Structure formats: C-alpha cells, structure tokens
Amino acid sequence: MESLPPFSKTSVLVVGGGPTGLTTALLLARYYLQVIVVERHHHRTGQPKAHAINPRSLEIFRQIGLNTVHLRDIGVPAEDGDAVRFVVSMAGKEHGILPYERQGPETLAITPEPLFNIPQPILESFLEKAVAANDKITFYRGVQWDGCSQTEQTALSSNVMERDTANVKIIESDYILDCGGANSRAREQLEIPFSPLPQFIQNEVHHLSVHINADLTRFKPGTLWWVANPLSEGTFICYDRSSSWVFVTYYNPETTSPDKFTDGYCRDLVDNAIGEKVPYEILSITAWSTWPRTAESYQSKRFHHTFVVGDAAHAFPPTGGLGVNTGIADAQNLAWKIHAVERAWADDSVLATYGKERRPVAVANAHQSVKNQVKLRSLKAALRDAPEDRTSSDGSEWQKRLDGELADNAEHFDSIRLQIGYIYGEEISDEPCSLYVPGAIPGSRLPHAWILHDKKRISTLDLVDGTGFVLLLSPGSTDLLSDKVSKIASVPIHTFSVGEDFQVIDESWVDAVRLSSRGLGLLIRPDQHIIGLAGSAEEVGHLLKSALRG
C-alpha cells in the first residue's frame, strides 16, 4: 500500500474508511475534488456489521455511477433473504413469519433499486475497489487522525500518525469530514457534543455477537431468525446461507462479564439456537453496546469547514438497520453543498443546512429504532410464553396474542417511508414508517417513475445526475420556461420536458408531481430532492436562491 508522504495537500480529508467514508470520497471525487481518506485500522473491523442496503443508498450509488447490478449479484438473492422467522430454534417449531422489507418486483414501481441484503464486508470491498480505481482519491490504512489547527489562509492542517512507525505527517485540506463511526476519536477534538436524545432516554444496551462459518442451507431461507427457548435467546443474521451467520444476543454487564464469553460458552448458545448439532467454525466473538445518541451539531463551531457524517453524527440501536444507510444519505447531502461553495454557486452559509436537514432525519430514525426495540420486547415475551399444546384453549389465546404482536412489529421490517420518503424540513411523523405516498412536496426525494429517454428505459431519478439542478417541465412548457431560465441562472440548470425530452410509462406520475398543467416546472436539487414548483422564470430564480442560502 502507498506510504503517506511527510506533507500532503488535498481539497477534502475524510477520516474513516468504512462505507460512509468511502461513499463520501466517491461523491466528492465526482465533483473533481481531490480527496484523501485515512483509516486508523489496517484491516476491516469485526462485528457489529450491517447486512442490508436500502433503496435510497442504492439510488445514490446509481447516481455516482457505481455498478449496482454487479453489487446486487454479489449480495443475497431476494428468495434467500426476504423473510423474518420467529422460532423456538432453527431446527425447531416456527411460531410466525414476517416479510423482510420490500424486495419483490412490485417495489420497482416506487424505486429503481429495491433493498437487498449484502454483508457489510462485501459492500466495503466493492466500495474500496471503486475508490482504488478513482484517481481523485488516495486511501491510507493504518493512519490515525490526531488533531488539526487552522492556518491564516483558513486551510486546515491535520496531524496524522502512521500507527506502524509512529511517524507524524501533515495533511493540509480545505475541509475535514469525520466519518469515524460512533466511537469517533475526532469528534471530541472538533468540539462536537455527542449525547443521548432527551426524548429517547434509554439505558445502554449490551450485545454479544458470535460470527460463525456454517452451512445452514438445510433450513428454510430467511434473513433474520428470532430464537426463543429456555437455553438460548437471540437473533441469527444470515450473511450467506452456506457460509456466514451471526448470532446476536443481549447480556447484562452487572451480572455477566464479557470474560464469560469463551468459545465453549458461545458454542452452547449457538447450538441451542440452531436446535441440533451441526459443524461450524467460530470466526469471532464480540461484546459491544449501543444506545441512541446524536451530535448536537453536524458542523464544528471551532473549525467551520469540519463536519461529522454517518455514525460519527448519530448512533441507533440495531433494530431497524438504519445506521449505515442514514450515513450514505448524509454524505450525498453534504457533498453537493461543498461543491456549490467551491464552484461559487453559494457562500459558506449553505453548509449549515447540512445539519439542519440531516439531523431531524437521524432523530426520526432513532425514534423508530427505539420504538422497534420496545415492541420487540413484548413480542419476545409472547414467544417465551408459547404453550406446548397450541391446540388447547390456552394455545388458542396465545396464538391470538402472538398474531397481534407480529402485526404490531410488522413496520420494524418495512420502513420504506424512512428509506425514501423522508422530507427535509419536516419533524418526526406519526404515520407508520411503512406508509409512503409519492408527491411533489418540497424537501422530499423526487418520486421515481420509469421513463423513455434517448431510446432507453431509465428512472426519473436518472435525469438528476448530481452535476447541477434540474427543471422538469410540464407538457408544452419548453417555450414558456426553458429559454428564460437559462438566461437568469448563474448555476447549471438542466431542463427536461415531459412528452418532448422523455415519455412517462405510467402517466399517474405526472399528476403525482403536479406537472399535468401547462406552464409549470419542478425544480430539483443535485441530490434529487425537490425544491419546489414554479410557474415562471422569476419563481425558478427565487427557488434556486432559497436552496443556496443558509
């Protein structure tokens, strides 16, 4: 691997080489910014790791130009990972089943990239290859960020240390983006407070993860197996049915020391959760903890051009799988705003909108994660109370109770509104997170529809490639708006007219985004979020200014 020189200069220094840090680098490089990524670990860290990538993350990858078809090919097929099973053990009685998110072909009506399961290590390898192939990005492993100062010219001078040699090097950058995870070492030095959310005060929850190499294809397919029996209680996460599984359970540190988690102890837990003896190798045993916390500000008050991104900005309980995916969307939101400042489309004040927009999303996701965790406790209590004879009157009453609990937990595994339906500027919604209604709401992601453009079938989202703003015109409005807009705009605005530049396959989309009347244009930001509807070039100008103001 390339050695870090004594002094380096770059546009952006990214601290942390996980999925969020790597995606951040790729987004910035697409804007022709030079990026250095430093990662303190020489090798990928172990558990906990994510196992699913949601539609919004995939849409962002698609916008960057990453090969999502290949990524899907190396992930878990939908038929192997579209179920959540509630069982006595994998080999024992099954109490109930829920679908795991929306992975079927019907989901293509609302996104070009349905969610699928992929182990985080495989995702990281995919992103690392993309980073290695990009001449705008240099990635250094085994390099630890130790602090920074600001020069008179406003550049940020960072001290970084090669952990093998203890040699201290200097990296000068215009921006520092902390993508160092929930246990970020940089966040405190940047003086960004990271604390529990008052509305979700919750004790720290402690987990034990046992990663095993096992072929469990003899059992039914499923991405999550919730196990409850007198000898073992926890969850199997399927990374690969034929080779890679993680068993996660809770423990109380007041009564159980992590020293207890020997190979023998963990093997007993896993054996009893499987329900029969099968050969497997224990790859790792990890004790870890989490509870909902969020950075009070996503931008350092001390160093104006330093920001927290991803898990450095927010930490959720794992119930919901929202952590990595929230971080990827953070990166997209910040990257285009840095580009806007560097291209002089906007002044520095627009950078403050990054935290204003993304922090409420993190709070909403934390809220749902805690809600999921609380509901699961009740469901697991019902599973523990399962009677031996389910045909008895007690068994009948218990089944009603279980059915109710399963229905109450369904939205835990269907959070489509949190994935593609969040709206910048909106507070936490009381609506179920499984409810998503596409529309032309300012702050929301542009609704997807399949269209024909240049003789190709693409998504409406593909019209917004991130290089500038986009104005979608209602039929017959080109003469009214397109030419006038090009004269008033100081930033690139790409115009596409419905019926002329592209044909919508499902016409209901035109009504959903309110472009059925002549003389209207829908203005979209580079990150594919709606600014608003305009009826004149002047209104387009006002909307544009609003999007580029702090």
Side-chain angles (χ1 to χ4, degrees):
M1 184 173 286
E2 190 176 347
S3 179
L4 183 65
F7 177 82
S8 305
K9 194 169 184 178
T10 190
S11 298
V12 185
L13 173 60
V14 173
V15 181
T20 297
L22 297 171
T23 302
T24 299
L26 289 165
L27 282 158
L28 293 165
R30 194 155 183 268
Y31 293 128
Y32 302 102
L33 294 167
Q34 291 290 340
V35 185
I36 290 177
V37 182
V38 294
E39 167 55 55
R40 68 187 301 267
H41 296 286
H42 284 286
H43 305 287
R44 211 171 280 125
T45 56
Q47 290 296 314
K49 290 290 186 183
H51 64 87
I53 185 149
N54 75 25
R56 192 66 194 121
S57 296
L58 290 160
E59 290 168 1
I60 293 167
F61 288 172
R62 185 183 177 107
Q63 188 188 49
I64 297 172
L66 297 178
N67 188 342
T68 58
V69 174
H70 171 64
L71 185 61
R72 203 174 288 275
D73 286 343
I74 60 177
V76 178
E79 60 270 19
D80 280 357
D82 62 356
V84 183
R85 299 185 184 277
F86 299 88
V87 298
V88 174
S89 66
M90 292 184 79
K93 191 176 293 183
E94 182 172 284
H95 294 308
I97 184 171
L98 286 172
Y100 181 72
E101 298 294 349
R102 305 189 189 192
Q103 300 184 51
E106 69 281 358
T107 314
L108 291 168
I110 56 174
T111 175
E113 298 284 356
L115 174 147
F116 69 98
N117 289 277
I118 184 167
Q120 185 175 324
I122 294 177
L123 171 63
E124 287 178 1
S125 293
F126 171 83
L127 293 171
E128 283 176 13
K129 287 176 183 175
V131 162
N134 195 306
D135 61 6
K136 298 290 182 186
I137 307 171
T138 312
F139 183 21
Y140 297 102
R141 280 197 174 275
V143 175
Q144 176 175 300
W145 187 90
D146 282 337
C148 72
S149 58
Q150 195 146 14
T151 68
E152 291 180 4
Q153 290 76 31
T154 72
L156 295 158
S157 180
S158 291
N159 291 339
V160 300
M161 182 183 71
E162 287 182 333
R163 298 184 73 194
D164 278 348
T165 64
N167 289 334
V168 176
K169 311 289 182 76
I170 304 296
I171 300 177
E172 190 175 282
S173 62
D174 298 317
Y175 300 86
I176 297 173
L177 274 51
D178 175 15
C179 303
N183 298 317
S184 165
R185 301 172 72 258
R187 186 178 52 229
E188 184 175 349
Q189 295 187 55
L190 297 175
E191 299 180 5
I192 298 176
F194 192 63
S195 55
L197 293 160
Q199 62 268 55
F200 310 128
I201 288 295
Q202 181 184 340
N203 294 330
E204 189 171 2
V205 178
H206 298 266
H207 308 263
L208 167 66
S209 289
V210 185
H211 187 192
I212 63 173
N213 179 351
D215 182 353
L216 301 181
T217 52
R218 73 183 70 184
F219 302 113
K220 296 175 183 177
T223 200
L224 297 170
W225 294 70
W226 297 83
V227 173
N229 66 60
L231 298 175
S232 190
E233 185 175 298
T235 310
F236 276 110
I237 303 169
C238 176
Y239 280 1
D240 185 309
R241 291 179 68 205
S242 65
S243 63
S244 186
W245 294 77
V246 176
F247 183 69
V248 185
T249 187
Y250 299 106
Y251 75 95
N252 183 348
E254 294 181 4
T255 58
T256 305
S257 167
D259 294 338
K260 187 177 182 180
F261 303 145
T262 62
D263 271 30
Y265 176 89
C266 293
R267 192 169 288 276
D268 284 343
L269 279 177
V270 171
D271 286 347
N272 288 313
I274 294 174
E276 64 181 49
K277 285 283 187 179
V278 299
Y280 61 84
E281 176 191 2
I282 294 181
L283 300 175
S284 68
I285 298 169
T286 310
W288 54 283
S289 63
T290 187
W291 68 102
R293 291 159 292 161
T294 306
E296 292 180 15
S297 169
Y298 282 19
Q299 182 177 23
S300 171
K301 293 178 182 177
R302 183 180 176 192
F303 303 110
H304 187 64
H305 275 193
T306 63
F307 303 85
V308 286
V309 185
D311 287 355
H314 42 71
F316 315 136
T319 40
L322 297 165
V324 167
N325 292 292
T326 306
I328 289 169
D330 289 344
Q332 187 200 33
N333 184 292
L334 180 57
W336 83 262
K337 291 170 182 175
I338 289 175
H339 177 56
V341 171
E342 291 303 296
R343 293 296 298 270
W345 300 349
D347 62 32
D348 274 14
S349 66
V350 75
L351 299 174
T353 65
Y354 159 60
K356 288 177 184 175
E357 290 183 340
R358 291 302 303 171
R359 191 174 185 275
V361 173
V363 172
N365 290 349
H367 170 73
Q368 187 64 44
S369 296
V370 173
K371 185 178 173 184
N372 292 342
Q373 202 166 49
V374 170
K375 286 184 175 182
L376 269 175
R377 289 177 192 151
S378 184
L379 172 56
K380 286 190 286 189
L383 293 172
R384 289 188 208 108
D385 293 342
E388 283 296 322
D389 182 7
R390 295 202 294 188
T391 62
S392 65
S393 58
D394 286 345
S396 178
E397 285 302 310
W398 175 83
Q399 189 63 53
K400 289 179 184 177
R401 174 187 171 191
L402 179 66
D403 290 345
E405 294 290 354
L406 287 171
D408 204 31
N409 278 269
E411 69 170 346
H412 179 170
F413 309 106
D414 183 11
S415 57
I416 193 68
R417 182 175 56 78
L418 298 181
Q419 296 169 28
I420 62 173
Y422 54 84
I423 301 168
Y424 291 143
E426 184 182 82
E427 296 303 314
I428 294 175
S429 172
D430 292 328
E431 293 181 335
C433 67
S434 57
L435 179 64
Y436 168 64
V437 179
I441 303 169
S444 67
R445 154 196 168 277
L446 173 68
H448 153 77
W450 294 110
I451 60 174
L452 296 174
H453 174 63
D454 289 342
K455 299 181 179 179
K456 294 180 182 177
R457 182 177 180 267
I458 63 171
S459 168
T460 48
L461 290 163
D462 296 328
L463 297 174
V464 190
D465 66 4
T467 59
F469 293 78
V470 167
L471 185 66
L472 301 179
L473 301 173
S474 59
S477 302
T478 303
D479 294 340
L480 296 174
L481 279 174
S482 184
D483 294 338
K484 295 177 182 177
V485 166
S486 64
K487 292 175 183 175
I488 66 156
S490 57
V491 302
I493 298 180
H494 310 294
T495 59
F496 299 95
S497 180
V498 176
E500 295 178 35
D501 298 307
F502 65 95
Q503 285 73 44
V504 182
I505 294 171
D506 182 353
E507 288 293 333
S508 66
W509 177 86
V510 179
D511 291 325
V513 297
R514 298 171 60 191
L515 288 179
S516 52
S517 300
R518 188 167 179 264
L520 294 175
L522 190 66
L523 190 61
I524 317 296
R525 305 188 326 187
D527 62 354
Q528 302 170 326
H529 280 257
I530 293 170
I531 302 172
L533 204 65
S536 67
E538 290 73 25
E539 285 182 17
V540 171
H542 291 315
L543 287 173
L544 196 59
K545 287 179 183 176
S546 72
L548 294 170
R549 269 201 310 263

